[in-house]
mmCIF file of all heavy atoms in Angstrom:
data_model
loop_
_atom_site.group_PDB
_atom_site.id
_atom_site.type_symbol
_atom_site.label_atom_id
_atom_site.label_comp_id
_atom_site.label_asym_id
_atom_site.label_seq_id
_atom_site.Cartn_x
_atom_site.Cartn_y
_atom_site.Cartn_z
ATOM 1 N N PRO A 531 0.826 -1.210 -0.009
ATOM 2 C CA PRO A 531 0.007 -0.007 -0.012
ATOM 3 C C PRO A 531 0.849 1.263 -0.001
ATOM 4 O O PRO A 531 1.857 1.343 0.708
ATOM 5 C CB PRO A 531 -0.809 -0.131 1.290
ATOM 6 C CG PRO A 531 -0.871 -1.598 1.536
ATOM 7 C CD PRO A 531 0.435 -2.156 1.074
ATOM 8 N N GLY A 532 0.450 2.204 -0.813
ATOM 9 C CA GLY A 532 1.219 3.428 -0.971
ATOM 10 C C GLY A 532 2.275 3.368 -2.043
ATOM 11 O O GLY A 532 2.871 4.387 -2.395
ATOM 12 N N GLY A 533 2.508 2.194 -2.586
ATOM 13 C CA GLY A 533 3.528 2.023 -3.614
ATOM 14 C C GLY A 533 3.006 2.383 -4.987
ATOM 15 O O GLY A 533 1.858 2.821 -5.171
ATOM 16 N N SER A 534 3.853 2.155 -5.991
ATOM 17 C CA SER A 534 3.549 2.533 -7.387
ATOM 18 C C SER A 534 3.843 1.375 -8.322
ATOM 19 O O SER A 534 4.715 0.534 -8.062
ATOM 20 C CB SER A 534 4.376 3.753 -7.795
ATOM 21 O OG SER A 534 4.103 4.876 -7.002
ATOM 22 N N LEU A 535 3.130 1.388 -9.421
ATOM 23 C CA LEU A 535 3.372 0.476 -10.540
ATOM 24 C C LEU A 535 3.103 1.230 -11.814
ATOM 25 O O LEU A 535 2.236 2.142 -11.846
ATOM 26 C CB LEU A 535 2.457 -0.757 -10.482
ATOM 27 C CG LEU A 535 2.807 -1.903 -9.517
ATOM 28 C CD1 LEU A 535 1.689 -2.955 -9.573
ATOM 29 C CD2 LEU A 535 4.158 -2.529 -9.848
ATOM 30 N N LYS A 536 3.740 0.818 -12.893
ATOM 31 C CA LYS A 536 3.448 1.375 -14.201
ATOM 32 C C LYS A 536 3.113 0.245 -15.153
ATOM 33 O O LYS A 536 3.946 -0.632 -15.446
ATOM 34 C CB LYS A 536 4.639 2.159 -14.738
ATOM 35 C CG LYS A 536 4.344 2.915 -16.020
ATOM 36 C CD LYS A 536 5.509 3.835 -16.432
ATOM 37 C CE LYS A 536 5.195 4.676 -17.630
ATOM 38 N NZ LYS A 536 6.273 5.615 -18.008
ATOM 39 N N LEU A 537 1.881 0.258 -15.602
ATOM 40 C CA LEU A 537 1.422 -0.749 -16.576
ATOM 41 C C LEU A 537 1.653 -0.268 -18.017
ATOM 42 O O LEU A 537 1.558 0.936 -18.284
ATOM 43 C CB LEU A 537 -0.066 -1.046 -16.364
ATOM 44 C CG LEU A 537 -0.514 -1.440 -14.955
ATOM 45 C CD1 LEU A 537 -1.996 -1.763 -14.974
ATOM 46 C CD2 LEU A 537 0.297 -2.609 -14.424
ATOM 47 N N SER A 538 1.927 -1.236 -18.864
ATOM 48 C CA SER A 538 2.106 -0.939 -20.289
ATOM 49 C C SER A 538 1.144 -1.777 -21.097
ATOM 50 O O SER A 538 0.813 -2.886 -20.709
ATOM 51 C CB SER A 538 3.534 -1.224 -20.735
ATOM 52 O OG SER A 538 4.479 -0.432 -20.028
ATOM 53 N N CYS A 539 0.727 -1.230 -22.193
ATOM 54 C CA CYS A 539 -0.181 -1.893 -23.105
ATOM 55 C C CYS A 539 0.336 -1.692 -24.501
ATOM 56 O O CYS A 539 0.329 -0.573 -25.016
ATOM 57 C CB CYS A 539 -1.564 -1.299 -22.943
ATOM 58 S SG CYS A 539 -2.786 -1.867 -24.128
ATOM 59 N N ALA A 540 0.817 -2.769 -25.129
ATOM 60 C CA ALA A 540 1.439 -2.657 -26.448
ATOM 61 C C ALA A 540 0.510 -3.259 -27.502
ATOM 62 O O ALA A 540 -0.008 -4.365 -27.323
ATOM 63 C CB ALA A 540 2.764 -3.399 -26.457
ATOM 64 N N ALA A 541 0.316 -2.514 -28.577
ATOM 65 C CA ALA A 541 -0.551 -2.981 -29.668
ATOM 66 C C ALA A 541 0.248 -3.807 -30.662
ATOM 67 O O ALA A 541 1.425 -3.503 -30.933
ATOM 68 C CB ALA A 541 -1.175 -1.797 -30.382
ATOM 69 N N SER A 542 -0.403 -4.785 -31.185
ATOM 70 C CA SER A 542 0.237 -5.647 -32.180
ATOM 71 C C SER A 542 -0.769 -5.981 -33.257
ATOM 72 O O SER A 542 -1.905 -6.340 -32.952
ATOM 73 C CB SER A 542 0.730 -6.932 -31.533
ATOM 74 O OG SER A 542 1.257 -7.802 -32.497
ATOM 75 N N GLY A 543 -0.382 -5.798 -34.525
ATOM 76 C CA GLY A 543 -1.284 -6.172 -35.604
ATOM 77 C C GLY A 543 -2.170 -5.048 -36.091
ATOM 78 O O GLY A 543 -2.959 -5.288 -37.043
ATOM 79 N N PHE A 544 -2.121 -3.884 -35.472
ATOM 80 C CA PHE A 544 -2.904 -2.772 -35.957
ATOM 81 C C PHE A 544 -2.247 -1.478 -35.453
ATOM 82 O O PHE A 544 -1.511 -1.463 -34.497
ATOM 83 C CB PHE A 544 -4.363 -2.844 -35.499
ATOM 84 C CG PHE A 544 -4.584 -2.564 -34.046
ATOM 85 C CD1 PHE A 544 -5.099 -1.355 -33.616
ATOM 86 C CD2 PHE A 544 -4.317 -3.529 -33.089
ATOM 87 C CE1 PHE A 544 -5.304 -1.105 -32.266
ATOM 88 C CE2 PHE A 544 -4.515 -3.314 -31.742
ATOM 89 C CZ PHE A 544 -5.021 -2.083 -31.333
ATOM 90 N N THR A 545 -2.576 -0.408 -36.155
ATOM 91 C CA THR A 545 -2.032 0.892 -35.739
ATOM 92 C C THR A 545 -3.043 1.591 -34.830
ATOM 93 O O THR A 545 -4.249 1.572 -35.072
ATOM 94 C CB THR A 545 -1.731 1.766 -36.966
ATOM 95 O OG1 THR A 545 -1.223 3.032 -36.495
ATOM 96 C CG2 THR A 545 -2.947 2.005 -37.832
ATOM 97 N N MET A 546 -2.541 2.214 -33.798
ATOM 98 C CA MET A 546 -3.398 2.840 -32.807
ATOM 99 C C MET A 546 -3.813 4.240 -33.163
ATOM 100 O O MET A 546 -4.483 4.920 -32.381
ATOM 101 C CB MET A 546 -2.693 2.852 -31.459
ATOM 102 C CG MET A 546 -2.491 1.449 -30.871
ATOM 103 S SD MET A 546 -1.398 1.452 -29.415
ATOM 104 C CE MET A 546 -2.221 2.611 -28.355
ATOM 105 N N GLU A 547 -3.438 4.722 -34.359
ATOM 106 C CA GLU A 547 -3.604 6.114 -34.718
ATOM 107 C C GLU A 547 -5.019 6.635 -34.513
ATOM 108 O O GLU A 547 -5.209 7.757 -34.065
ATOM 109 C CB GLU A 547 -3.168 6.331 -36.156
ATOM 110 C CG GLU A 547 -3.284 7.763 -36.639
ATOM 111 C CD GLU A 547 -2.807 7.935 -38.064
ATOM 112 O OE1 GLU A 547 -2.446 6.909 -38.702
ATOM 113 O OE2 GLU A 547 -2.825 9.065 -38.570
ATOM 114 N N TYR A 548 -6.025 5.831 -34.858
ATOM 115 C CA TYR A 548 -7.424 6.297 -34.777
ATOM 116 C C TYR A 548 -8.183 5.670 -33.608
ATOM 117 O O TYR A 548 -9.400 5.763 -33.532
ATOM 118 C CB TYR A 548 -8.146 6.002 -36.081
ATOM 119 C CG TYR A 548 -7.528 6.691 -37.260
ATOM 120 C CD1 TYR A 548 -6.851 5.969 -38.255
ATOM 121 C CD2 TYR A 548 -7.630 8.075 -37.408
ATOM 122 C CE1 TYR A 548 -6.276 6.632 -39.333
ATOM 123 C CE2 TYR A 548 -7.070 8.736 -38.475
ATOM 124 C CZ TYR A 548 -6.398 7.997 -39.453
ATOM 125 O OH TYR A 548 -5.820 8.645 -40.519
ATOM 126 N N PHE A 549 -7.435 5.090 -32.681
ATOM 127 C CA PHE A 549 -8.085 4.375 -31.595
ATOM 128 C C PHE A 549 -7.855 5.055 -30.250
ATOM 129 O O PHE A 549 -6.735 5.420 -29.892
ATOM 130 C CB PHE A 549 -7.541 2.958 -31.507
ATOM 131 C CG PHE A 549 -8.032 2.037 -32.579
ATOM 132 C CD1 PHE A 549 -7.442 2.033 -33.828
ATOM 133 C CD2 PHE A 549 -9.096 1.177 -32.346
ATOM 134 C CE1 PHE A 549 -7.906 1.215 -34.838
ATOM 135 C CE2 PHE A 549 -9.566 0.345 -33.340
ATOM 136 C CZ PHE A 549 -8.951 0.349 -34.575
ATOM 137 N N ALA A 550 -8.944 5.244 -29.531
ATOM 138 C CA ALA A 550 -8.844 5.569 -28.118
ATOM 139 C C ALA A 550 -8.509 4.277 -27.382
ATOM 140 O O ALA A 550 -8.849 3.164 -27.836
ATOM 141 C CB ALA A 550 -10.151 6.119 -27.595
ATOM 142 N N VAL A 551 -7.822 4.426 -26.274
ATOM 143 C CA VAL A 551 -7.449 3.228 -25.466
ATOM 144 C C VAL A 551 -7.940 3.425 -24.033
ATOM 145 O O VAL A 551 -7.795 4.516 -23.456
ATOM 146 C CB VAL A 551 -5.937 3.020 -25.488
ATOM 147 C CG1 VAL A 551 -5.557 1.846 -24.582
ATOM 148 C CG2 VAL A 551 -5.481 2.724 -26.925
ATOM 149 N N GLY A 552 -8.500 2.387 -23.494
ATOM 150 C CA GLY A 552 -8.976 2.451 -22.109
ATOM 151 C C GLY A 552 -8.292 1.383 -21.255
ATOM 152 O O GLY A 552 -7.875 0.326 -21.759
ATOM 153 N N TRP A 553 -8.172 1.708 -19.985
ATOM 154 C CA TRP A 553 -7.747 0.709 -18.975
ATOM 155 C C TRP A 553 -8.958 0.368 -18.138
ATOM 156 O O TRP A 553 -9.678 1.255 -17.687
ATOM 157 C CB TRP A 553 -6.637 1.264 -18.105
ATOM 158 C CG TRP A 553 -5.289 1.231 -18.730
ATOM 159 C CD1 TRP A 553 -4.637 2.260 -19.321
ATOM 160 C CD2 TRP A 553 -4.389 0.114 -18.777
ATOM 161 N NE1 TRP A 553 -3.387 1.873 -19.754
ATOM 162 C CE2 TRP A 553 -3.224 0.532 -19.438
ATOM 163 C CE3 TRP A 553 -4.458 -1.199 -18.309
ATOM 164 C CZ2 TRP A 553 -2.137 -0.318 -19.674
ATOM 165 C CZ3 TRP A 553 -3.391 -2.041 -18.558
ATOM 166 C CH2 TRP A 553 -2.240 -1.597 -19.225
ATOM 167 N N PHE A 554 -9.130 -0.914 -17.896
ATOM 168 C CA PHE A 554 -10.234 -1.421 -17.109
ATOM 169 C C PHE A 554 -9.695 -2.418 -16.088
ATOM 170 O O PHE A 554 -8.562 -2.904 -16.215
ATOM 171 C CB PHE A 554 -11.258 -2.095 -18.021
ATOM 172 C CG PHE A 554 -11.734 -1.185 -19.129
ATOM 173 C CD1 PHE A 554 -11.069 -1.142 -20.337
ATOM 174 C CD2 PHE A 554 -12.834 -0.376 -18.919
ATOM 175 C CE1 PHE A 554 -11.486 -0.302 -21.356
ATOM 176 C CE2 PHE A 554 -13.250 0.498 -19.942
ATOM 177 C CZ PHE A 554 -12.564 0.521 -21.135
ATOM 178 N N ARG A 555 -10.465 -2.715 -15.083
ATOM 179 C CA ARG A 555 -10.046 -3.702 -14.089
ATOM 180 C C ARG A 555 -11.212 -4.511 -13.596
ATOM 181 O O ARG A 555 -12.384 -4.070 -13.643
ATOM 182 C CB ARG A 555 -9.331 -2.996 -12.924
ATOM 183 C CG ARG A 555 -10.228 -2.113 -12.088
ATOM 184 C CD ARG A 555 -9.400 -1.350 -11.062
ATOM 185 N NE ARG A 555 -10.223 -0.514 -10.197
ATOM 186 C CZ ARG A 555 -9.730 0.351 -9.320
ATOM 187 N NH1 ARG A 555 -8.409 0.480 -9.172
ATOM 188 N NH2 ARG A 555 -10.552 1.060 -8.557
ATOM 189 N N GLN A 556 -10.895 -5.706 -13.138
ATOM 190 C CA GLN A 556 -11.915 -6.606 -12.607
ATOM 191 C C GLN A 556 -11.354 -7.320 -11.394
ATOM 192 O O GLN A 556 -10.363 -8.067 -11.527
ATOM 193 C CB GLN A 556 -12.403 -7.592 -13.661
ATOM 194 C CG GLN A 556 -13.607 -8.388 -13.227
ATOM 195 C CD GLN A 556 -14.281 -9.095 -14.367
ATOM 196 O OE1 GLN A 556 -13.726 -9.269 -15.458
ATOM 197 N NE2 GLN A 556 -15.528 -9.473 -14.162
ATOM 198 N N ALA A 557 -11.964 -7.088 -10.272
ATOM 199 C CA ALA A 557 -11.621 -7.752 -9.041
ATOM 200 C C ALA A 557 -12.449 -9.003 -8.891
ATOM 201 O O ALA A 557 -13.534 -9.110 -9.477
ATOM 202 C CB ALA A 557 -11.824 -6.820 -7.853
ATOM 203 N N PRO A 558 -11.990 -9.995 -8.121
ATOM 204 C CA PRO A 558 -12.727 -11.233 -7.935
ATOM 205 C C PRO A 558 -14.145 -10.942 -7.424
ATOM 206 O O PRO A 558 -14.329 -10.225 -6.456
ATOM 207 C CB PRO A 558 -11.904 -12.001 -6.889
ATOM 208 C CG PRO A 558 -10.542 -11.466 -7.066
ATOM 209 C CD PRO A 558 -10.699 -10.021 -7.433
ATOM 210 N N GLY A 559 -15.127 -11.538 -8.090
ATOM 211 C CA GLY A 559 -16.507 -11.378 -7.680
ATOM 212 C C GLY A 559 -17.160 -10.066 -8.036
ATOM 213 O O GLY A 559 -18.299 -9.796 -7.641
ATOM 214 N N LYS A 560 -16.439 -9.235 -8.743
ATOM 215 C CA LYS A 560 -16.995 -7.911 -9.125
ATOM 216 C C LYS A 560 -17.047 -7.767 -10.643
ATOM 217 O O LYS A 560 -16.362 -8.473 -11.381
ATOM 218 C CB LYS A 560 -16.127 -6.804 -8.528
ATOM 219 C CG LYS A 560 -16.167 -6.777 -6.994
ATOM 220 C CD LYS A 560 -15.415 -5.553 -6.469
ATOM 221 C CE LYS A 560 -15.474 -5.478 -4.961
ATOM 222 N NZ LYS A 560 -14.779 -4.272 -4.427
ATOM 223 N N GLU A 561 -17.861 -6.823 -11.064
ATOM 224 C CA GLU A 561 -17.948 -6.543 -12.491
ATOM 225 C C GLU A 561 -16.740 -5.735 -12.967
ATOM 226 O O GLU A 561 -16.083 -5.051 -12.167
ATOM 227 C CB GLU A 561 -19.222 -5.759 -12.785
ATOM 228 C CG GLU A 561 -20.488 -6.552 -12.579
ATOM 229 C CD GLU A 561 -21.710 -5.802 -13.033
ATOM 230 O OE1 GLU A 561 -21.590 -4.635 -13.425
ATOM 231 O OE2 GLU A 561 -22.829 -6.398 -13.037
ATOM 232 N N ARG A 562 -16.478 -5.848 -14.265
ATOM 233 C CA ARG A 562 -15.396 -5.060 -14.835
ATOM 234 C C ARG A 562 -15.758 -3.575 -14.760
ATOM 235 O O ARG A 562 -16.885 -3.195 -15.047
ATOM 236 C CB ARG A 562 -15.164 -5.475 -16.282
ATOM 237 C CG ARG A 562 -13.936 -4.839 -16.930
ATOM 238 C CD ARG A 562 -13.648 -5.485 -18.260
ATOM 239 N NE ARG A 562 -13.259 -6.881 -18.094
ATOM 240 C CZ ARG A 562 -12.892 -7.668 -19.098
ATOM 241 N NH1 ARG A 562 -12.821 -7.164 -20.344
ATOM 242 N NH2 ARG A 562 -12.541 -8.908 -18.897
ATOM 243 N N GLU A 563 -14.805 -2.742 -14.375
ATOM 244 C CA GLU A 563 -15.048 -1.341 -14.254
ATOM 245 C C GLU A 563 -13.979 -0.548 -15.019
ATOM 246 O O GLU A 563 -12.867 -0.999 -15.182
ATOM 247 C CB GLU A 563 -15.079 -0.889 -12.805
ATOM 248 C CG GLU A 563 -13.755 -1.056 -12.055
ATOM 249 C CD GLU A 563 -13.793 -0.493 -10.655
ATOM 250 O OE1 GLU A 563 -14.766 0.202 -10.306
ATOM 251 O OE2 GLU A 563 -12.819 -0.699 -9.911
ATOM 252 N N GLY A 564 -14.372 0.621 -15.442
ATOM 253 C CA GLY A 564 -13.437 1.493 -16.141
ATOM 254 C C GLY A 564 -12.517 2.198 -15.176
ATOM 255 O O GLY A 564 -12.931 2.564 -14.076
ATOM 256 N N VAL A 565 -11.277 2.375 -15.577
ATOM 257 C CA VAL A 565 -10.276 3.063 -14.762
ATOM 258 C C VAL A 565 -9.908 4.383 -15.410
ATOM 259 O O VAL A 565 -9.947 5.417 -14.765
ATOM 260 C CB VAL A 565 -9.035 2.188 -14.603
ATOM 261 C CG1 VAL A 565 -7.925 2.936 -13.868
ATOM 262 C CG2 VAL A 565 -9.369 0.885 -13.877
ATOM 263 N N SER A 566 -9.523 4.333 -16.676
ATOM 264 C CA SER A 566 -9.083 5.540 -17.358
ATOM 265 C C SER A 566 -9.113 5.301 -18.861
ATOM 266 O O SER A 566 -9.152 4.163 -19.329
ATOM 267 C CB SER A 566 -7.642 5.865 -16.921
ATOM 268 O OG SER A 566 -7.211 7.053 -17.563
ATOM 269 N N CYS A 567 -9.142 6.388 -19.611
ATOM 270 C CA CYS A 567 -9.047 6.270 -21.064
ATOM 271 C C CYS A 567 -8.298 7.471 -21.622
ATOM 272 O O CYS A 567 -8.201 8.523 -20.960
ATOM 273 C CB CYS A 567 -10.418 6.148 -21.714
ATOM 274 S SG CYS A 567 -11.403 7.644 -21.613
ATOM 275 N N ILE A 568 -7.808 7.300 -22.849
ATOM 276 C CA ILE A 568 -7.070 8.373 -23.505
ATOM 277 C C ILE A 568 -7.465 8.386 -24.959
ATOM 278 O O ILE A 568 -7.629 7.317 -25.597
ATOM 279 C CB ILE A 568 -5.538 8.193 -23.326
ATOM 280 C CG1 ILE A 568 -4.764 9.388 -23.828
ATOM 281 C CG2 ILE A 568 -5.052 6.886 -23.958
ATOM 282 C CD1 ILE A 568 -3.308 9.400 -23.369
ATOM 283 N N SER A 569 -7.649 9.567 -25.506
ATOM 284 C CA SER A 569 -8.071 9.695 -26.893
ATOM 285 C C SER A 569 -6.959 9.320 -27.856
ATOM 286 O O SER A 569 -5.805 9.123 -27.445
ATOM 287 C CB SER A 569 -8.515 11.138 -27.172
ATOM 288 O OG SER A 569 -7.406 12.030 -27.021
ATOM 289 N N ASN A 570 -7.290 9.223 -29.120
ATOM 290 C CA ASN A 570 -6.317 8.798 -30.105
ATOM 291 C C ASN A 570 -5.105 9.721 -30.166
ATOM 292 O O ASN A 570 -3.968 9.277 -30.369
ATOM 293 C CB ASN A 570 -6.946 8.665 -31.502
ATOM 294 C CG ASN A 570 -7.502 9.975 -32.016
ATOM 295 O OD1 ASN A 570 -8.028 10.774 -31.285
ATOM 296 N ND2 ASN A 570 -7.353 10.168 -33.319
ATOM 297 N N SER A 571 -5.331 10.999 -29.974
ATOM 298 C CA SER A 571 -4.218 11.969 -30.027
ATOM 299 C C SER A 571 -3.512 12.100 -28.690
ATOM 300 O O SER A 571 -2.384 12.617 -28.635
ATOM 301 C CB SER A 571 -4.750 13.331 -30.435
ATOM 302 O OG SER A 571 -5.609 13.865 -29.432
ATOM 303 N N GLY A 572 -4.166 11.666 -27.630
ATOM 304 C CA GLY A 572 -3.602 11.857 -26.300
ATOM 305 C C GLY A 572 -4.029 13.143 -25.639
ATOM 306 O O GLY A 572 -3.686 13.378 -24.479
ATOM 307 N N ASP A 573 -4.809 13.964 -26.352
ATOM 308 C CA ASP A 573 -5.195 15.257 -25.802
ATOM 309 C C ASP A 573 -6.291 15.171 -24.752
ATOM 310 O O ASP A 573 -6.453 16.066 -23.928
ATOM 311 C CB ASP A 573 -5.671 16.182 -26.942
ATOM 312 C CG ASP A 573 -4.543 16.593 -27.858
ATOM 313 O OD1 ASP A 573 -3.362 16.486 -27.423
ATOM 314 O OD2 ASP A 573 -4.825 16.985 -28.997
ATOM 315 N N THR A 574 -7.095 14.107 -24.809
ATOM 316 C CA THR A 574 -8.212 13.938 -23.885
ATOM 317 C C THR A 574 -7.974 12.716 -23.028
ATOM 318 O O THR A 574 -7.674 11.652 -23.555
ATOM 319 C CB THR A 574 -9.527 13.805 -24.633
ATOM 320 O OG1 THR A 574 -9.783 15.004 -25.379
ATOM 321 C CG2 THR A 574 -10.674 13.572 -23.660
ATOM 322 N N THR A 575 -8.141 12.882 -21.736
ATOM 323 C CA THR A 575 -8.073 11.749 -20.804
ATOM 324 C C THR A 575 -9.240 11.824 -19.842
ATOM 325 O O THR A 575 -9.740 12.904 -19.515
ATOM 326 C CB THR A 575 -6.775 11.757 -19.992
ATOM 327 O OG1 THR A 575 -6.656 12.981 -19.281
ATOM 328 C CG2 THR A 575 -5.547 11.608 -20.904
ATOM 329 N N ASN A 576 -9.686 10.688 -19.400
ATOM 330 C CA ASN A 576 -10.777 10.588 -18.415
ATOM 331 C C ASN A 576 -10.391 9.551 -17.373
ATOM 332 O O ASN A 576 -9.687 8.572 -17.694
ATOM 333 C CB ASN A 576 -12.097 10.183 -19.097
ATOM 334 C CG ASN A 576 -12.619 11.295 -19.985
ATOM 335 O OD1 ASN A 576 -12.795 12.438 -19.568
ATOM 336 N ND2 ASN A 576 -12.892 10.971 -21.231
ATOM 337 N N TYR A 577 -10.884 9.763 -16.154
ATOM 338 C CA TYR A 577 -10.553 8.868 -15.053
ATOM 339 C C TYR A 577 -11.789 8.555 -14.244
ATOM 340 O O TYR A 577 -12.687 9.387 -14.076
ATOM 341 C CB TYR A 577 -9.529 9.505 -14.138
ATOM 342 C CG TYR A 577 -8.179 9.782 -14.774
ATOM 343 C CD1 TYR A 577 -7.923 10.989 -15.405
ATOM 344 C CD2 TYR A 577 -7.191 8.822 -14.765
ATOM 345 C CE1 TYR A 577 -6.708 11.238 -16.014
ATOM 346 C CE2 TYR A 577 -5.946 9.063 -15.378
ATOM 347 C CZ TYR A 577 -5.717 10.276 -16.006
ATOM 348 O OH TYR A 577 -4.503 10.490 -16.617
#
């Protein structure tokens, strides 16, 4: 607790130029929930 991690998500087989990317998470026994997203240009982020 209180520590840090940096996750990476690498695309393969397609170009990300026109794609927004989201991070989601699912804990045991819970539904998948949204964490954050970033627009294709990187100019827009949501949390």
Side-chain angles (χ1 to χ4, degrees):
S534 298
L535 282 174
K536 187 173 185 178
L537 306 183
S538 299
C539 173
S542 176
F544 72 104
T545 179
M546 293 170 56
E547 181 179 2
Y548 298 111
F549 286 82
V551 176
W553 280 100
F554 305 90
R555 66 187 182 187
Q556 188 164 18
K560 295 186 178 181
E561 292 187 354
R562 187 170 295 183
E563 64 175 351
V565 175
S566 181
C567 69
I568 187 166
S569 64
N570 62 322
S571 66
D573 291 340
T574 298
T575 58
N576 292 305
Y577 296 90

